[in-house]
Amino acid sequence: MSLEEASRQLEAAIHDARVAFDCILLEELDRAHTNAITARAAVDAAEQAIRVALEKQEAAKAGDSEEDEGVDGSAGSTDKAEEVESAD
């Protein structure tokens, strides 16, 4: 998922919420309920897309800072242990 998808989902949520609002005014409660549910689903999908993008961004920042420091985290210590074992 991308931020573009999150944007599309939020636009869909806005539309569905407006339709639900209009349906309430017209006393079409069943249709209002359906549109409120679809608006909520679109918001949830957008939130998930944003969360995935944020996690990717944080992972990229963590990777950049590890490269800058020359530290590979716990994987680095495992790699060194494997190097010692393979040398024996």
Side-chain angles (χ1 to χ4, degrees), residues 44-67:
D44 289 345
E47 189 268 337
Q48 178 64 22
I50 293 168
R51 183 182 316 184
V52 168
L54 183 59
E55 288 172 359
K56 285 180 182 178
Q57 185 181 48
E58 289 174 353
K61 283 183 183 178
D64 289 344
S65 66
E66 286 178 358
E67 288 177 8

Side-chain angles (χ1 to χ4, degrees), residues 26-61:
L26 296 171
E27 296 182 9
E28 294 182 22
L29 299 183
D30 188 47
R31 190 170 168 213
H33 182 249
T34 300
N35 280 283
I37 291 170
T38 57
R40 176 60 189 255
V43 168
D44 289 345
E47 189 268 337
Q48 178 64 22
I50 293 168
R51 183 182 316 184
V52 168
L54 183 59
E55 288 172 359
K56 285 180 182 178
Q57 185 181 48
E58 289 174 353
K61 283 183 183 178

Side-chain angles (χ1 to χ4, degrees), residues 2-85:
S2 67
L3 292 178
E4 290 176 9
E5 179 63 21
S7 178
R8 283 191 291 272
Q9 291 293 335
L10 288 173
E11 288 290 336
I14 291 167
H15 176 265
D16 289 339
R18 285 181 180 152
V19 170
F21 177 81
D22 291 340
C23 289
I24 290 169
L25 294 176
L26 296 171
E27 296 182 9
E28 294 182 22
L29 299 183
D30 188 47
R31 190 170 168 213
H33 182 249
T34 300
N35 280 283
I37 291 170
T38 57
R40 176 60 189 255
V43 168
D44 289 345
E47 189 268 337
Q48 178 64 22
I50 293 168
R51 183 182 316 184
V52 168
L54 183 59
E55 288 172 359
K56 285 180 182 178
Q57 185 181 48
E58 289 174 353
K61 283 183 183 178
D64 289 344
S65 66
E66 286 178 358
E67 288 177 8
D68 291 343
E69 296 173 6
V71 176
D72 215 9
S74 62
S77 61
T78 304
D79 291 341
K80 289 179 183 177
E82 290 174 359
E83 289 175 13
V84 170
E85 289 176 11

